[in-house]
Amino acid sequence: MPLALAMLAGVLLDALLGEPRRAHPLVGFGRLARAIESVLHRDSRVRGVMAWLLAVVPLSAAAWWLQRQLLAWSPWADCVYAAAALYFAIGLRSLSEHATPVAAALAAADLPAAREAVGRIVSRDTQALDAERVAAAATESVLENGSDAVFAALFWFAVLGAAGAVLYRLANTLDAMWGYRTARYRRFGWAAARIDDVLNWIPARLTAMTYAALGHTGSALRCWRTQARAWDSPNAGPVMAAGAGALRVRLGGDAPYHGVWESRPLLGEGAAPDADSIMRALSLVVRGTAYWLCGFLLLAFGWWLYADA
């Protein structure tokens, strides 16, 4: 029961406070990761594995050790620690803070402002995007990051407590830093990318199921079944295909990266994306989070009654 309450408290802290503007632990971790990279980087998968282990394992082990010590002392002390860990690992309010300005600018027909706002959350060349492609980029980002920044963190927190949230967020951060298919990171970042794929495999499919359950279910399941495998990411494919189907919106398609238009599969079906599709995607993530919380609280309460009987 304390872990379920800690999950609720962590999500509420994120909703009330948002990401810390100063002294965020992940900023310090980023500096540590860059220092490790500067020493160990070679065009080598073995070096990449070594770097990943050195960056993630000691901190995750310390989080697990502290969790055990606090739990032995007081379940409620562990509850406070777990809530704080989840607060730093989850990013629901940040997702809203980054996507809402894009929708607001599009609704006001201010394409330059919309391009600038969406440029903060996607890596494509936003100056080449028209209003529809700006809306598509933002909607895709909300759906994908709903899985990465919210549901996967909740999943690993439910499985391993505070240590799970820490492990997942550190691994996901390294994927964002090293998991690129560039000359520098194709081999060195291989471990970071593959481990992140493994950690996200189950949460991504639970996210796709959540989107399907809370949106146009038939469309979401059909798009998931027929479109997800064409996407280059084994986890983003199911999430974005099911999300696009749940919203009945068309996503994917060609997009500009580093001055080159890249061909991407089409996702979803129905209407073209617009400002409303961004807000509906945010609503899907928020409602999904509420359902996950309610489900976990009910499971924890049922287990508490069973154990107390």
Side-chain angles (χ1 to χ4, degrees):
M1 197 65 180
L3 186 63
L5 295 176
M7 179 183 287
L8 176 61
V11 173
L12 290 176
L13 282 173
D14 174 73
L16 290 171
L17 303 177
E19 288 189 346
R21 303 303 180 189
R22 296 181 179 179
H24 196 300
L26 288 180
V27 175
F29 176 72
R31 296 192 185 102
L32 172 65
R34 283 190 288 272
I36 292 172
E37 179 186 350
S38 68
V39 173
L40 289 181
H41 183 273
R42 298 289 188 281
D43 186 25
S44 163
R45 287 185 176 181
V46 173
R47 287 295 191 103
V49 171
M50 291 171 58
W52 190 95
L53 292 173
L54 187 58
V56 174
V57 171
L59 292 174
S60 299
W64 176 83
W65 177 85
L66 182 56
Q67 177 178 296
R68 292 291 300 271
Q69 298 302 309
L70 289 173
L71 186 60
W73 177 51
S74 167
W76 296 107
D78 179 60
C79 178
V80 172
Y81 164 63
L86 181 60
Y87 162 61
F88 286 117
I90 202 170
L92 180 57
R93 176 166 166 174
S94 176
L95 190 62
S96 177
E97 289 175 342
H98 283 85
T100 299
V102 185
L106 287 174
D110 189 347
L111 183 56
R115 286 170 171 166
E116 181 180 354
V118 81
R120 302 187 189 106
I121 58 175
V122 299
S123 59
R124 66 197 74 175
D125 300 331
T126 59
Q127 294 306 309
L129 303 180
D130 59 18
E132 181 178 321
R133 285 191 168 97
V134 168
T139 305
E140 291 171 16
S141 180
V142 170
L143 293 173
E144 184 175 7
N145 283 294
S147 180
D148 291 350
V150 181
F151 296 115
L154 291 176
F155 173 83
W156 285 109
F157 181 84
V159 172
L160 297 173
V166 171
L167 169 65
Y168 172 74
R169 183 49 60 207
L170 298 184
N172 188 248
T173 301
L174 285 188
D175 176 59
M177 296 179 67
W178 298 344
Y180 295 101
R181 297 175 182 175
T182 61
R184 179 174 178 82
Y185 292 114
R186 184 171 288 109
R187 293 175 63 81
F188 180 81
W190 173 84
R194 295 292 77 78
I195 292 170
D196 185 72
D197 285 344
V198 170
L199 292 177
N200 274 294
W201 199 91
I202 294 176
R205 281 142 188 87
L206 291 176
T207 301
M209 292 171 60
T210 301
Y211 291 163
L214 298 178
H216 294 274
T217 303
S219 176
L221 294 177
R222 180 168 55 252
C223 292
W224 182 358
R225 184 180 65 254
T226 60
Q227 299 172 349
R229 68 174 64 93
W231 206 254
D232 61 356
S233 167
N235 296 322
V239 167
M240 292 202 295
L247 297 172
R248 293 298 303 272
V249 67
R250 300 193 306 271
L251 302 176
D254 296 350
Y257 294 90
H258 310 295
V260 177
W261 282 84
E262 296 186 6
S263 178
R264 306 183 310 160
L266 295 175
L267 297 173
E269 58 187 26
D274 56 14
D276 183 61
S277 68
I278 301 171
M279 300 310 296
R280 289 192 296 120
L282 278 171
S283 174
L284 200 60
V285 175
V286 171
R287 287 184 290 127
T289 303
Y291 273 82
W292 277 44
L293 286 173
C294 289
F296 192 63
L297 286 167
L298 286 173
L299 285 173
F301 184 66
W303 176 255
W304 177 72
L305 288 178
Y306 173 80
D308 197 51

